[in-house]
Amino acid sequence: MTGFAWTRAQPLDETAVRTSGGRVDLVVVAEMVAPGSRVLDVGAGDGELLDLLATTRGCDARGIELSREGVNAGVARGLAVIQGDADVDLAHYPDDAFDYVILSQTLQATRRPRWVLEQMLRIGSHAIVSFPNFGHWRSRFDLVVHGRMPVTENMPIAWYETPNIHFCTIRDFVELVEVLGARMERAVALDSSGHRVRFNMPWWVWNLLGEQAVFLLTRK
Amino acid sequence: MDRLINIAAPPLDTEEARARREADAPHSPVASFPGETLRLDAGLVLHDLQIAYQTYGEPNAARTNAILVCHALTGDQHVANVNPVTGKPGWWETLVGPGKPIDTERFYVICANVLGGCMGTTGPSSTNPQTGRPYGLDMPLVTIRDMVNAQAMLLDHLGIERLLCVAGGSMGGMQVLQWVASYPERVVSALPIATAARHSAQNIAFHEVGRQAVMADPDWHGGHYLQFGVTPHRGLAVARMAAHITYMSDQALHRKFGRRLQDRALPTFGFDADFQVESYLRHQGESFVQRFDPNSYLYVTRAMDYFDLAAEYDGVLANAFRGSKTRFCVVSFTSDWLFPTQDSRAIVHALNASGAPVSFAEIESDKGHDAFLLDEPELSDITRGFLDSAAKTAGLPVARDR
């Protein structure tokens, strides 16, 4: 695998970053979305990203969320969120229903990550996926030196309770994208302090330094 | 028979007489449409339609703040005022009123008694202007779509072109769905609660039991009981008792009554109401017959049975909403087994397929189907948030801080 040319997206204004409550990955995701587009956020949580997209990007933003509490909070905020399961409900959306389908920090919690990605690329002309990188040096350190499953700020739950059943590394993900025959339009890695890994580097460096990764994919 | 089901309701007592008067001269404003006709799905035409309705709040200058509330099977137009027949509070005062989620200080709220009802809108207990006698079974069968068409006539009468929202639970939710399908350009947002796009076989079966109970009562007289000065109150009470079970959940019945005995320490080894749950159901049956017309019960349950929105659109529910710009919020309750979450999910899937903006929330409650009528804080929050965002889209002033 070769290095990937990192391109700079349109930055959001400061208010946007503030309203995102410091979650840089959400800002990175939002910056990949063209203003005014139709967006489906899969695993919308309490609607934080939807709110960001609607208020700062003028998007027609909708969400799917598994937890009842998350859905009810989102709907009470006036957002279009449905209670549903990404592993099942994506099948009910027609082809090309959205410009972007977003999976933010949720891929690792799906039962069928490959199927979910395929559905995302069917439903939307773009797919944006952000996930914690299991190949980050700290995870490797925990495994190799301590001999234990890593527990970090981004992966705070012990192995026996975590809903995250399908962890992967950046390299693993890139390989899956190739298997799916999708095109990588853009990729961003965030280090442990939430800063972008700024330089063009070979994948193995990103895989070591990136604690989270955000990919923008399209169909080939 | 009398000894087994001892329902003490003498025919046509004062309360019943009061209820009967509501059919022709209700305690509500009445819209009448002299010279106009309503073409029914049954292929017949209804003349001299009368619609009884209540309104709350005031329309704004642009008349863009109207919300239509649709009532359920045995509900009526008295959403948020003392009911003139029962003396009880309005049936949705948890949700509708000043400062409530459906805020009558911001919105102009309208609710009409349904076509086929018995609280002032034309129904089987209304006087047939052509004969001077109650319609009885001469009243043509009506459908949910007929009810909605009648409501559209009322809105024209009130000068309301577009509704900010149509909201309702159960059969009210069926009307909400039909409204968007029939008049998509007149509905900005839709709030169907605890409902389905078609009545299930199980629900048709329950309704049939209720209707058979009414029709098996000798006092029904083939539907002409009013001419005999009686009413099939025993049959209607049994229908209500059976139906009431379906509105609750096993869990809620256990929580409320368990196996506790009613005012006694030991069972009587007879068929008296030994158990609290029996006593409760008998009370529900008795009080229902005081306020509801038995023929109306037949007509309105039938309207629900016939409801199958997709059937009008080649069997594809999504087609019913194609091109619709209406925003939806679909709500169900975990313990509702009469209109289970899967029914709501089917609506949501169809809306997704048609590209309509939709929210869907399943609320955790052990209160069964009745939960939509009860104080459910999550339903209040969701309704408030949904209406706030609908009002914002429609350019209405923001709600003031509470």
Side-chain angles (χ1 to χ4, degrees), chain A residues 62 68 71-72 75-76 78-84 89 92-94, chain B residues 345 349 352-353 355-362 364 378 382 385 389:
Chain A
R62 319 213 184 143
R68 241 190 311 272
V71 173
N72 296 358
V75 178
L79 301 167
V81 184
I82 68 166
Q83 205 273 328
D89 288 318
H92 297 285
Y93 289 87
Chain B
R345 221 176 262 290
H349 290 158
N352 282 337
V358 54
S359 291
F360 165 57
E362 183 190 38
E364 183 146 22
E378 277 186 288
I382 285 166
S389 85

Side-chain angles (χ1 to χ4, degrees), chain B residues 277-338:
Chain B
V277 65
E278 292 175 290
S279 169
Y280 171 78
L281 280 183
R282 289 186 190 192
H283 169 75
Q284 290 297 329
E286 279 169 27
S287 50
F288 182 61
V289 300
Q290 309 289 326
R291 68 175 178 90
F292 211 85
D293 175 61
N295 280 340
S296 253
Y297 195 78
L298 305 184
Y299 276 77
V300 182
T301 55
R302 205 60 177 148
M304 290 178 78
D305 292 353
Y306 284 150
F307 187 64
D308 180 2
L309 190 54
E312 298 170 32
Y313 299 88
D314 307 322
V316 181
L317 185 57
N319 290 346
F321 308 117
R322 198 158 301 285
S324 157
K325 296 205 164 49
T326 305
R327 299 155 58 100
F328 279 82
C329 181
V330 179
V331 180
S332 71
F333 297 92
T334 50
S335 57
D336 184 349
W337 56 280
L338 196 62

Side-chain angles (χ1 to χ4, degrees), chain B residues 199-206:
Chain B
H199 215 216
S200 70
Q202 176 174 267
N203 289 0
I204 295 170
F206 280 125

Side-chain angles (χ1 to χ4, degrees), chain B residues 53-221:
Chain B
Y53 64 97
Q54 291 289 116
T55 65
Y56 310 86
E58 296 296 329
N60 60 11
R63 304 183 91 74
T64 53
N65 67 334
I67 295 180
L68 179 70
V69 170
C70 301
H71 71 73
L73 169 60
T74 64
D76 53 37
Q77 67 273 34
H78 301 286
V79 181
N81 56 271
V82 172
N83 190 293
V85 176
T86 64
K88 289 185 178 157
W91 57 269
W92 227 7
E93 289 200 6
T94 50
L95 226 53
V96 183
K100 302 273 177 68
I102 300 179
D103 189 348
T104 52
E105 285 169 357
R106 294 180 74 196
F107 305 124
Y108 177 54
V109 179
I110 306 160
C111 183
N113 186 212
V114 295
L115 191 65
C118 54
M119 288 294 280
T121 296
T122 304
S125 58
S126 307
T127 301
N128 180 347
Q130 279 158 341
T131 64
R133 289 197 311 264
Y135 274 104
L137 297 196
D138 292 338
M139 169 92 190
L141 275 238
V142 298
T143 63
I144 299 291
R145 183 159 65 178
D146 295 332
M147 293 175 181
V148 165
N149 288 338
Q151 288 160 0
M153 288 170 76
L154 172 66
L155 292 192
D156 294 342
H157 171 85
L158 295 174
I160 301 296
E161 177 50 36
R162 291 188 87 198
L163 291 162
L164 177 64
C165 185
V166 187
S170 196
M171 186 184 84
M174 291 177 168
Q175 293 163 66
V176 172
L177 299 176
Q178 185 68 61
W179 254 102
V180 181
S182 293
Y183 302 97
E185 72 291 348
R186 294 188 79 166
V187 185
V188 176
S189 72
L191 180 58
I193 304 171
T195 192
R198 62 174 184 194
H199 215 216
S200 70
Q202 176 174 267
N203 289 0
I204 295 170
F206 280 125
H207 276 174
E208 174 60 1
V209 170
R211 284 190 296 266
Q212 287 299 331
V214 170
M215 295 188 286
D217 187 324
D219 281 345
W220 185 57
H221 288 292

